Structure formats: C-alpha cells, structure tokens
C-alpha cells in the first residue's frame, strides 16, 4: 500500500511548507470579504496561481465568476487586466499592433492588454475563434509575436477565462486545441439557501463597498512555485495518474465497460497538469508529499474538458463528468 512508503518528513520541513503557503491562506481570507461561498472556486484559483496553469470557469450569469477573479487580482500586488470578449473583438485588441509614426517615418509596437500578470478573459466564448486563438501563444509559450518581433510575458502570468454554458444564445464553443491549454475547468454552481441569504444581506444596498488589501506579492508567489516543484510525487502515485488518463483512451484495458461512449480521451497534458495540481493541493495543505486523495480531488476538473463523449453517450444522457467518475471508481488506488 502507498501508506507504507510515505516519505519521512521532518517536523521543521512541514512547518516550513506551512509558512510558505501562508500567503495563499491570506488571499483566501481576503477574497472571503467580498465573495460568499464558492470555496472550491477560490481553491482552484489558488492552485492555478501556484502552478502557473490557466483556468476556465464556467457557469450561468450572476454567479460571481468575474468578482472572484477580480478579487484575486486585488489581493496581489501585481498587474491586472480585464478583457471583455465580444463578437466584434479583434486579435489586435488583445495582443497589440504596430503603429506608424509619421514624425520619424517608422513603425512602433503598441502592446495590448495581454501584457499584464493576471488576465481576466470575461465571457471568452462570446468572441469568435480567431480572437480565442490569439490567446494560444500567450497561454502556452508565455510570449506574444507582433509584426515578426517576439515579446516575453512577465511572470507570474495567468489567464482566468469565464464562460457561459455553450447552450446559451450568442456563444461560440471553444475549440479543443484551446480548451486543452487550460489546467482546470471549474464549474460554478448556484449558492445554497444560507449562502444566498448572506449574499442578499451583503449586497442589497444601493452602493455596496468592499475593500480588498494586497496581502502578497509576485515574488512570494514565485518562491512558492519553486516549493511546489519540491513536493514529493511517489512513483506509485505517478502510475496512478497515468492509469487514470490512459483509462480515458482505452477503458477496456482497465475493466471498464465504456465502449462507444468516449470519442477521444485526455491528452498527455492531462497527466502533466494532474500531477502539478496534486502537488499544489498538497502544498496548500502543508504537506511535502502527494496522496491519492489529492489526485482524486482534482481529476474531474483536470479532465472534464479533455474527454469528448460520443453521440451515443449523449443519447444515454451520459456526460464527461459521469464517465470520469466511473473511471475514478474503476481504476485501482495505490
């Protein structure tokens, strides 16, 4: 069993990890001054911040998706840009363009709003594909090319995109090549009754005011990222991650009866991102090693947008979430 081979972790090492993760607990507390509930969303945003992985946040309008991301940005002393995606947005509006200067008869680069640290791509699926694709190089390569010249983006660089469900009118489904660039896809649901009462009492004012103070810096975030790299990932856990991803491609090899339900399985990015997210989850809990529970907690958010189901699955009212849940039940845990 995995529990028999846990790495020996000295108490002072655990204390150091707890100290290193303290800024992220401060961020969560600060966001809580504005946001009611949505602890899972806040936790996933912190994992994205720790790993440098981009987030796709989906939910119907009015669930505070934009508020959550804006609050995260305010709690960090760093650059922030909100981009409202619309059908008439152009790629140049995002990355910038070359501008002619008649006084010296030359072209100069005018950088776009993508040149910041935290980018809120609000309602990303309301823009056409050519604008969505303009994010690809920035998200994957951490650089932007304008007029044949390449400009690196300053770290930390993180895109958090919100979208309404694709069945909503006036939206465009994101292509698979772009959704695969997102570390996590987080589904935001309605608040429960108690949370809704808190929202009503807090927000039912003509001009509600909330102050969020910066509680950490980009330097602290980058230091924490280096600590995440040192979180121990046991070979058994590595094998477990690979088995979960492989089961989305060849479920029969794992004794799963999912024939005809999966159009294509998760890409190798799923394995990489699940390992990174599990390490970040362990770090946030002050642990220097990954447990199977870390992998299980994040597997759905890592893979739901990477597993495409068939028409037969839709006819049976199956979803990628239910199929991934069956895989989590069927693959042996170390």
């Amino acid at each position: 069993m995995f529990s028999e081979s846990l790495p020996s972790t000295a108490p002072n090492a655990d204390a150091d990890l707890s100290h290193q993760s303290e800024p992220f607990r401060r961020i969560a507390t600060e966001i809580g001054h504005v946001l009611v509930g949505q602890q899972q969303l806040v936790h996933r945003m912190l994992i994205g911040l720790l790993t440098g992985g981009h987030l796709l946040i989906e939910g119907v309008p009015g669930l505070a998706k934009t508020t959550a991301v804006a609050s995260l940005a305010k709690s960090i002393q760093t650059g922030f840009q909100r981009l409202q995606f619309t059908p008439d947005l152009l790629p140049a509006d995002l990355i910038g363009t070359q501008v002619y200067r008649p006084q010296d008869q030359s072209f100069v680069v005018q950088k776009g709003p993508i040149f910041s640290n935290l980018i809120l791509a609000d309602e990303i699926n309301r823009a056409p594909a050519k604008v969505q694709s303009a994010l690809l190089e920035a998200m994957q390569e951490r650089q932007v090319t304008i007029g044949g010249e390449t400009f690196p983006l300053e770290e930390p660089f993180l895109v958090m995109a919100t979208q309404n469900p694709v069945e909503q009118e006036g939206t465009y489904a994101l292509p698979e090549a772009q959704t695969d660039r997102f570390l996590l896809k987080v589904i935001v649901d309605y608040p429960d009754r108690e949370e809704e009462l808190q929202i009503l009492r807090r927000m039912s004012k003509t001009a509600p005011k909330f102050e969020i103070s910066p509680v950490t810096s980009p330097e602290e975030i980058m230091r924490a990222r280096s600590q995440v790299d040192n979180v121990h990932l046991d070979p058994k856990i590595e094998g477990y991650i690979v088995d979960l991803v492989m089961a989305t491609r060849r479920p029969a090899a794992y004794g799963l009866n999912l024939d005809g339900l999966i159009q294509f399985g998760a890409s190798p990015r799923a394995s990489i991102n699940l390992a990174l997210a599990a390490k970040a989850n362990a770090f946030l809990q002050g642990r220097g090693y990954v447990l199977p529970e870390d992998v299980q907690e994040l597997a759905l958010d890592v893979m739901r947008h990477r597993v495409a189901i068939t028409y037969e699955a839709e006819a049976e009212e199956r979803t990628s979430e239910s199929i991934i849940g069956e895989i989590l039940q069927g693959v042996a845990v170390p």
Side-chain angles (χ1 to χ4, degrees):
M1 294 294 291
F2 175 73
S3 58
E4 297 173 354
S5 59
L6 286 176
S8 58
T9 307
N12 59 341
D14 283 339
D16 184 59
L17 278 175
S18 180
H19 173 72
Q20 292 284 348
S21 60
E22 174 59 28
F24 296 88
R25 287 190 285 274
R26 295 199 302 265
I27 290 173
T29 300
E30 204 66 26
I31 293 175
H33 295 159
V34 174
L35 201 65
V36 175
Q38 303 293 7
Q39 285 90 355
Q40 184 181 30
L41 173 58
V42 174
H43 180 255
R44 300 309 193 255
M45 290 195 302
L46 294 180
I47 286 178
L49 196 61
L50 263 173
T51 60
H54 312 293
L55 265 66
L56 181 60
I57 305 168
E58 182 179 296
V60 297
L63 296 183
K65 301 185 297 294
T66 303
T67 300
V69 179
S71 300
L72 174 68
K74 290 178 182 177
S75 68
I76 304 169
Q77 296 171 334
T78 190
F80 171 65
Q81 286 286 347
R82 174 184 173 178
L83 309 176
Q84 186 66 48
F85 279 55
T86 57
D88 60 347
L89 197 70
L90 298 174
D93 298 327
L94 183 68
I95 65 173
T97 187
Q98 287 185 315
V99 177
Y100 181 69
R101 296 178 58 180
Q103 59 268 31
D104 53 12
Q105 297 184 347
S106 64
F107 286 91
V108 295
V109 172
Q110 181 173 317
K111 294 181 178 180
I114 196 71
F115 287 90
S116 190
N117 297 105
L118 293 185
I119 305 296
L120 169 58
D122 209 4
E123 295 190 290
I124 187 174
N125 61 335
R126 292 204 176 275
K130 62 181 180 180
V131 178
Q132 296 173 3
S133 298
L135 276 175
L136 285 179
E137 183 185 19
M139 290 172 62
Q140 186 64 27
E141 306 296 336
R142 290 338 198 241
Q143 64 183 27
V144 169
T145 302
I146 305 173
E149 190 175 355
T150 300
F151 300 90
L153 296 168
E154 185 179 350
E155 291 287 356
F157 175 74
L158 185 64
V159 174
M160 296 191 182
T162 69
Q163 70 171 16
N164 298 326
V166 293
E167 62 266 25
Q168 294 287 320
E169 184 178 355
T171 60
Y172 303 81
L174 270 68
E176 288 81 3
Q178 182 156 340
T179 56
D180 197 39
R181 260 72 173 183
F182 288 98
L183 171 80
L184 305 173
K185 180 179 179 181
V186 185
I187 304 298
V188 181
D189 205 352
Y190 290 106
D192 60 28
R193 187 177 187 277
E194 184 59 35
E195 291 171 344
E196 189 111 7
L197 277 172
Q198 293 183 46
I199 294 169
L200 184 150
R201 291 164 182 161
R202 185 180 292 188
M203 301 299 296
S204 58
K205 301 173 184 177
T206 55
K209 294 182 179 180
F210 302 101
E211 295 293 331
I212 292 185
S213 303
V215 293
T216 189
S217 65
E219 291 75 22
E220 277 191 306
I221 292 170
M222 298 309 293
R223 283 197 297 270
R225 284 186 183 180
S226 66
Q227 291 297 318
V228 170
D229 290 337
N230 295 328
V231 172
H232 178 72
L233 189 61
D234 191 273
K236 293 181 181 179
I237 300 294
E238 292 176 338
Y240 181 50
I241 291 171
V242 170
D243 284 338
L244 288 174
V245 174
M246 293 292 291
T248 68
R249 305 172 196 165
R250 293 192 289 274
Y254 293 86
L256 298 168
N257 185 21
L258 299 174
D259 290 341
L261 300 181
I262 300 176
Q263 183 178 356
F264 58 82
S267 72
R269 281 200 187 98
S271 301
I272 298 168
N273 289 345
L274 187 50
L276 276 173
K279 283 184 175 185
N281 195 58
F283 174 84
L284 288 172
Q285 297 181 31
R287 273 188 283 108
Y289 52 89
V290 174
L291 294 174
E293 289 80 2
D294 296 313
V295 177
Q296 294 166 342
E297 180 179 347
L298 292 155
L300 185 59
D301 289 341
V302 169
M303 294 198 292
R304 61 157 48 101
H305 54 300
R306 294 184 164 95
V307 176
I309 61 174
T310 61
Y311 292 116
E312 289 81 358
E314 292 180 4
E316 296 179 17
E317 298 185 347
R318 301 291 296 274
T319 63
S320 62
E321 285 89 349
S322 68
I323 289 172
I324 293 167
E326 193 169 330
I327 289 171
L328 284 169
Q329 290 290 326
V331 174
V333 180

